[in-house]
Amino acid sequence: MSAPMISIRNLYKIFGANPAAAMAKVREGMGKEELNADYGHVLGLKDINVDLMEGEITVIMGLSGSGKSTLVRHINRLIDPTSGEVLVQGENVLDYGEETLRDMRRKTMSMVFQHFALLPHRSVLQNTATAPIVRGEDKAVYEPEARKWLERVGLAGYEDSYPHQLSGGMKQRVGIARALTSNAPIMLMDEAFSALDPLIRTDMQDLLLELQVELNKTIVFISHDLDEALKLADHLVILKDGEVVQQGEPQHILLNPEDDYIVDFISDINRARVLRVRSIMEPVKQDVSHVGEVQREATLEQVIAQTGGESIGAYLVKHEGDVVGELNMSTLVRSLVPQKRSGQ
Amino acid sequence: MATYDFLFENLGLKDWCSDGGGDRPVSMADLLARKKGGAAETSVWDTPFPSMDALNEACSKFPKSRDLTIGLEDGFLAIKDALRFVLDPITEPLSWMLDGAMWLAEATPWWIVIPVLLLITYFVSRSWSIVFSVGASILGLAFIDHYLPAIQTLSIVFVCAAICVALGVPIGIAMSRSNRLQRAVLPVLDMLQTLPTFVYLIPLIFLFSVTESKLYGIAIILYAIVPVIRLTDLGIRMVDKDVLEAAQAFGMTPRQKLYQVQIPLALPNIMAGVNQTIMMSLAMVVIASLVSAPGLGVLVLRGIRNLELGVGLVAGLGIVILAIILDRVTKSALARVNAAQHH
Ligand SMILES: Nc1ncnc2c1ncn2[C@@H]1O[C@H](COP(=O)(O)OP(=O)(O)O)[C@@H](O)[C@H]1O
Ligand SMILES: [Mg+2]
């Protein structure tokens, strides 16, 4: 496996007047509540260790106030940690001086914001070209580039409009075009779709997945919505009160929750629509006769539709023409019932 | 016998008081008291407040309150030359600007000045109806032979407001960036704004001669600069935190943030400040006619001094007309900025 694009190591963030002193207390084992009640400091993040792989979408999910925004802002150092390391392409960004840091923000990372954060006095085209304008590039070079990305997100013809003339969904399309025009390999998205209506949100998720197939960016996506997280994530990190409770491949978390909190969290989702055949298939047994074939990447919902509700027998699992395993319908039915915490 | 004799006796200061007390100047009150034969034993009802003058009666060494005002005056006169030495050269360009603008406005024939003013109006407001009302106002004033004082007043307002903006915007920006500076400057602004306008003419009269234009220039600027500073500071502090964060995330330098984000987003507030500054300049020009500022204010003053009711009223009306057109032109510019951002 290749080295991670971004590596977060033992990261702590304490908000308050004297974080260093509070940090000592936390190292001695003081918890979030006590620290807040007795010392008036907020333990924003506690011992975070996450690796983010190149070309993957890592979704950081948690309820409001769990520290998601704080965490993502450590990656481009809009917030400095109290303790710990943030490695980007192997370099510790905490060692960066002002100049190097700015250079990283200009070239290596772009960001999309929950409330769009467009410049109200600049046209859509100028907003889209924010990154090259900041870098001081030539208008003749960046304008075609910005136009290209505006067209790519479906906003051709709106170049000369102003942000206040656009709807929320369109504003966020500009936000995405702005991030893409920066041409940075890393994209940070803080609740980028949370302020949008459900239908538009689905559109935007599809747009992001579609773009990602082509662009292969390293995306850090923040969300408080489990369905969104499961749809987008290659790697899912679940935060609670500033701590990582579980991280891993989303289907794996769904089938093997390690914590009661996560069991609660995932109890309401439509498992048939989220789980895929690959997550529950088994190696092919020779002595079983198969009643049909299913695709490895199919969701269980699709399989149930395909079998017409038949819940016995086994199917051959195929991927790109090859047999890769077998699916027992009894396993499928069992997997639809939310599990207790694994190991219980 | 004075009421507070006991105080100095108890404190053991009697000797200090009477030391050389023989040549104490005799006051009117003393004479009256002596005439009464000193028999008056003051009742509790008549006990005077232990003010400086009352204490002085008991002990001639104690200063009277009049000594305070005299001391202040002496002190001011003592540092006056030094202050002048520093302030005079710094403020000299202000005289040149005021005199230059005045000369230009007076020397240029009316049929050039009026179209130029209308052109400026158009570029600021982009509204023909405002250009029309400004034109009608100025022509009306010219028709009743108030063209010259109106133009004088306008030229003073322009120069002073321009200087207010040139100084006030940077001061406001600096304040928005430093809480400590803000804490230091705000009380000064409060004082400049609450001080009765006549009061701060007083030190200026001592510092500069009344024949110099900068005397009234400084008075106007001190008074009118306050809103543009306040609103620049406020406007920049109110800039959307999300947008600033985005600017930061895309790697803007502090300078890029200032010019590409903070100032443009604060512009509606800054313009509101400029509008108020212009209106306050106009108000102060009228008062500054007391210290020889030319223009419509002089006519108002003449109306008061010589009881020439008509002269005063017409000049007052002229000022109202100038106020209305200055306000409408700057407000329409403000509305344009607002419409462009509308968030
Ligand atoms: N600047 C700050 N000062 C004090 N507390 C803060 C600050 N920023 C965030 N917090 C606290 O840290 C916690 C995490 O906040 P945040 O990262 O914004 O959560 P999320 O984005 O998951 O909703 C919250 O309890 C919040 O109150
Ligand atoms: Mg957040």
Side-chain angles (χ1 to χ4, degrees), chain B residues 219-337:
Chain B
I220 296 169
I221 290 169
L222 281 179
Y223 182 63
I225 200 170
V226 177
V228 73
I229 296 179
R230 266 190 209 286
L231 283 158
T232 302
D233 173 44
L234 182 78
I236 290 189
R237 280 173 186 268
M238 281 190 353
V239 166
D240 189 350
K241 294 282 172 292
D242 285 356
V243 176
L244 269 186
E245 190 176 50
Q248 186 98 6
F250 279 92
M252 283 198 190
T253 60
R255 196 188 180 78
Q256 285 176 318
K257 267 198 296 193
L258 181 65
Y259 287 107
Q260 296 184 29
V261 182
Q262 291 173 304
I263 291 181
L265 266 65
L267 203 56
N269 274 307
I270 297 176
M271 297 280 284
V274 172
N275 167 274
Q276 286 184 28
T277 286
I278 290 178
M279 302 316 286
M280 289 173 71
S281 304
L282 182 64
M284 194 62 187
V285 168
V286 178
I287 290 164
S289 61
L290 279 173
V291 288
S292 79
L296 290 168
V298 175
L299 297 178
V300 175
L301 208 61
R302 204 175 98 195
I304 297 172
R305 277 190 186 141
N306 306 352
L307 292 179
E308 294 180 57
L309 180 68
V311 173
L313 283 184
V314 171
L317 183 73
I319 291 164
V320 171
I321 290 174
L322 286 189
I324 292 173
I325 62 180
L326 284 173
D327 188 50
R328 283 199 62 186
V329 171
T330 47
K331 283 252 175 70
S332 68
L334 175 62
R336 266 198 314 138
V337 174

Side-chain angles (χ1 to χ4, degrees), chain A residues 15-16 32 42 44 62-71 190-191 222:
Chain A
F15 295 105
K32 183 174 172 132
V42 177
L63 299 176
S64 179
S66 56
K68 308 178 297 288
S69 297
T70 309
L71 178 54
D190 187 5
E191 308 230 13
I222 306 295

Side-chain angles (χ1 to χ4, degrees), chain A residues 116-323:
Chain A
F116 324 125
L118 302 176
L119 297 176
H121 61 293
R122 288 193 174 169
S123 71
V124 165
L125 187 65
Q126 287 171 315
N127 263 294
T128 306
T130 299
I133 290 175
V134 172
R135 293 194 291 246
E137 284 172 21
D138 213 19
K139 191 166 174 165
V141 179
Y142 71 67
E143 264 209 14
E145 185 76 2
R147 278 180 201 283
K148 180 185 90 181
W149 288 116
L150 272 178
E151 194 182 325
R152 195 67 192 72
V153 300
L155 281 182
Y158 287 94
E159 289 84 357
D160 298 325
S161 303
Y162 280 81
H164 70 88
Q165 297 168 312
L166 305 182
S167 69
M170 289 158 93
K171 282 183 198 163
Q172 199 56 299
R173 281 169 196 267
V174 178
I176 291 176
R178 172 171 74 175
L180 293 174
T181 305
S182 119
N183 222 356
I186 299 172
M187 218 163 126
L188 311 176
M189 305 180 77
D190 187 5
E191 308 230 13
F193 304 150
S194 298
L196 306 177
D197 296 335
L199 277 180
I200 295 169
R201 194 191 301 185
T202 310
D203 281 351
M204 299 294 284
Q205 290 161 358
D206 295 339
L207 173 70
L208 182 66
L209 287 174
E210 193 187 311
L211 287 166
Q212 175 64 356
V213 170
E214 228 171 277
L215 302 174
N216 259 306
K217 304 246 179 213
T218 304
I219 298 178
V220 186
F221 193 99
I222 306 295
S223 178
H224 63 248
D225 179 44
L226 185 60
D227 288 311
E228 181 171 74
L230 291 171
K231 179 170 176 179
L232 299 177
D234 295 312
H235 183 77
L236 180 59
V237 180
I238 300 180
L239 273 188
K240 182 195 170 198
D241 292 340
E243 286 182 72
V244 174
V245 278
Q246 189 173 2
Q247 60 176 314
E249 209 265 339
Q251 308 249 319
H252 178 83
I253 295 180
L254 221 51
L255 293 168
N256 308 287
E258 285 173 4
D259 188 282
D260 290 334
Y261 176 76
I262 296 184
V263 173
D264 277 351
F265 218 90
I266 61 180
S267 63
D268 282 340
I269 59 151
N270 182 345
R271 297 169 70 88
R273 190 169 292 168
V274 176
L275 286 173
R276 291 175 191 277
V277 171
R278 68 172 140 88
S279 308
I280 57 166
M281 67 187 188
E282 291 146 294
V284 184
K285 291 187 224 62
Q286 294 304 329
D287 55 341
V288 180
S289 63
H290 298 102
V291 289
E293 290 175 356
V294 293
Q295 291 303 310
R296 191 187 76 167
E297 292 304 314
T299 62
L300 303 190
E301 192 178 59
Q302 286 164 337
V303 173
I304 294 169
Q306 184 189 333
T307 63
E310 193 62 61
S311 63
I312 46 170
Y315 289 78
L316 264 185
V317 179
K318 301 193 84 172
H319 182 62
E320 290 172 349
D322 299 329
V323 174

